Amino acid sequence: MTRRPTRAEPPADATAPLPAPELTEAECRRCGTYIAGLDGRYACGVCGWVNDHSEGHRRLPRADEDPDRPPRGRKRPRPLPPGPGDGPQTGA
């Protein structure tokens, strides 16, 4: 049995953009519905089947490779206070 690496090596150029994901298509293994996914990762909207992330064609990007990740040290925004229509409904 071949051991899998415990963590992926970072790309040679960390500032290079990530390659665009490839749209892939298959049949759901549970119900047979025709489904599409990205890089061999699928989720069926009919029966709820999801394949394991390790079955994909490429490794998933690390959090520090995500272009939409907020900068380090940035705090999570505070939740908005409830508005006038957000409370429980009262009355008849």
Side-chain angles (χ1 to χ4, degrees):
M1 181 172 182
T2 305
R3 289 185 146 247
R4 291 177 130 176
T6 55
R7 72 183 234 204
E9 293 298 318
D13 183 10
T15 60
L18 296 172
E22 177 187 352
L23 183 63
T24 53
E25 301 164 338
E27 286 187 10
C28 173
R29 293 182 196 161
R30 185 183 296 163
C31 69
T33 302
Y34 187 72
I35 55 177
L38 296 176
D39 291 331
R41 293 178 178 91
Y42 304 103
C44 179
V46 175
C47 70
W49 172 83
V50 178
N51 72 332
D52 190 67
H53 72 278
S54 64
E55 295 179 36
H57 301 162
R58 292 187 267 188
R59 73 171 181 81
L60 292 171
R62 297 186 334 252
D64 60 347
E65 296 172 335
D66 184 359
D68 298 326
R69 182 181 184 195
R72 277 198 164 148
R74 181 176 164 200
K75 292 183 181 179
R76 185 177 291 208
R78 292 187 311 181
L80 296 173
D86 294 340
Q89 299 292 330
T90 57

